[in-house]
């Protein structure tokens, strides 16, 4: 992978610019550009978008980041940290995701995963107060600037739940007005565009997801619906029967 100083020098020459001309454009001294090109120093992060725009490339390309390698690494980071968060491990993912965002600033998927980790950590009252502002800030950032609909929807979902958990029901309900309905989402409509085997496999996966949602809803109704202990036992038995029956019918693990 080429280093930043080598890429900068290459693109400056391709654009037939002197160090003095590049320095004037970037608002720095010619000596600063010289130090960048020798690798002695690096420009401030705020200068990188200006240089990338001048050369007609992305900031990642300017920094020598291979897009395929970048996507692979980000996918691995998100999968690993989400698995930890789902096991109620949160502090290490928060630290790791912050480090990843230093390498890939403003990446939507990393920001969304960090928001998930902060939200999960907020079950602790002290952490909830500590992370409240950051959760809201990340959500607003994703909702305003992200072009990734999945990240935008996930940020809205997490912020909605965070508002509910912290007693801000009015804010949560205002946010809910812009949330997608279940019948308009991709998972409910892609079925119509598929054929035979693909359609069957798709429906099988949707049944798995629907089962998990139903099991969660029954549990939530039992725990948060003010049910008597005898009724809770009946609901837990129903959950077990539903899960076992569906898994047997569709050969789920």
């Amino acid at each position: 992978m080429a280093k930043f100083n080598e890429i900068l020098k290459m693109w400056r020459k391709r654009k037939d610019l002197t160090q003095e001309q590049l320095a004037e454009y970037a608002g720095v001294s010619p000596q600063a550009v010289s130090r960048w090109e020798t690798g002695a120093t690096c420009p401030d992060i705020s200068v990188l978008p200006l240089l990338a725009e001048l050369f007609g490339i992305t900031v990642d390309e300017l920094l020598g980041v291979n897009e395929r390698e970048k996507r692979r690494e980000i996918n691995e980071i998100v999968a690993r940290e989400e698995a930890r968060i789902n096991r109620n491990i949160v502090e290490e993912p928060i630290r790791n995701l912050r480090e990843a965002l230093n390498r890939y600033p403003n990446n939507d998927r990393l920001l969304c995963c960090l928001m998930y980790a902060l939200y999960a950590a907020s079950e602790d009252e002290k952490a909830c107060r500590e992370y409240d502002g950051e959760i809201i800030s990340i959500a607003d950032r994703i909702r305003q600037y992200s072009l990734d609909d999945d990240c935008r929807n996930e940020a809205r979902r997490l912020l909605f739940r965070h508002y509910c958990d912290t007693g801000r029901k009015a804010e949560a309900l205002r946010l809910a007005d812009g949330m997608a309905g279940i019948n308009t989402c991709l998972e409910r409509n892609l079925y119509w565009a598929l054929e035979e085997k693909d359609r069957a496999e798709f429906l099988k996966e949707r049944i798995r997801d629907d089962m998990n949602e139903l099991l969660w809803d029954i549990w939530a109704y039992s725990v948060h619906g003010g049910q008597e202990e005898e009724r809770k036992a009946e609901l837990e038995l129903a959950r077990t029967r539903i899960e076992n029956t569906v898994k047997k019918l569709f050969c789920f693990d």
Side-chain angles (χ1 to χ4, degrees), residues 148-190:
D148 186 322
D149 286 340
D150 288 339
C151 288
R152 288 170 56 83
N153 290 334
E154 178 66 1
R156 185 183 290 270
R157 182 185 74 86
L158 289 172
L159 184 59
F160 172 83
R161 290 193 176 185
H162 179 65
Y163 279 154
C164 289
D165 291 347
T166 52
R168 288 172 280 189
K169 299 294 178 69
E171 289 92 333
L173 291 173
R174 282 196 294 270
L175 196 64
D177 288 339
M179 295 175 78
I182 188 170
N183 290 324
T184 62
C185 69
L186 174 65
E187 289 75 10
R188 286 292 164 191
N189 292 280
L190 184 60

Side-chain angles (χ1 to χ4, degrees), residues 60-74:
D60 283 342
E61 289 172 314
L62 181 62
L63 294 173
V65 176
N66 179 285
E67 281 298 319
R68 181 178 298 178
E69 178 64 21
K70 172 186 172 181
R71 284 195 297 272
R72 183 196 63 78
E73 183 178 359
I74 289 173

Side-chain angles (χ1 to χ4, degrees), residues 14-61:
R14 280 188 185 180
K15 293 294 184 179
D16 197 25
L17 296 171
T18 65
Q19 288 186 342
E20 288 75 14
Q21 289 171 321
L22 182 59
E24 183 177 358
Y25 178 83
V28 298
S29 68
Q31 291 78 12
V33 173
S34 177
R35 289 194 292 272
W36 295 346
E37 292 191 354
T38 61
T41 61
C42 290
D44 186 88
I45 193 170
S46 63
V47 178
L48 296 178
L50 292 174
L51 297 174
E53 183 178 8
L54 174 64
F55 299 143
I57 60 176
T58 66
V59 172
D60 283 342
E61 289 172 314

Side-chain angles (χ1 to χ4, degrees), residues 44 81 132:
D44 186 88
E81 302 310 334
D132 179 73

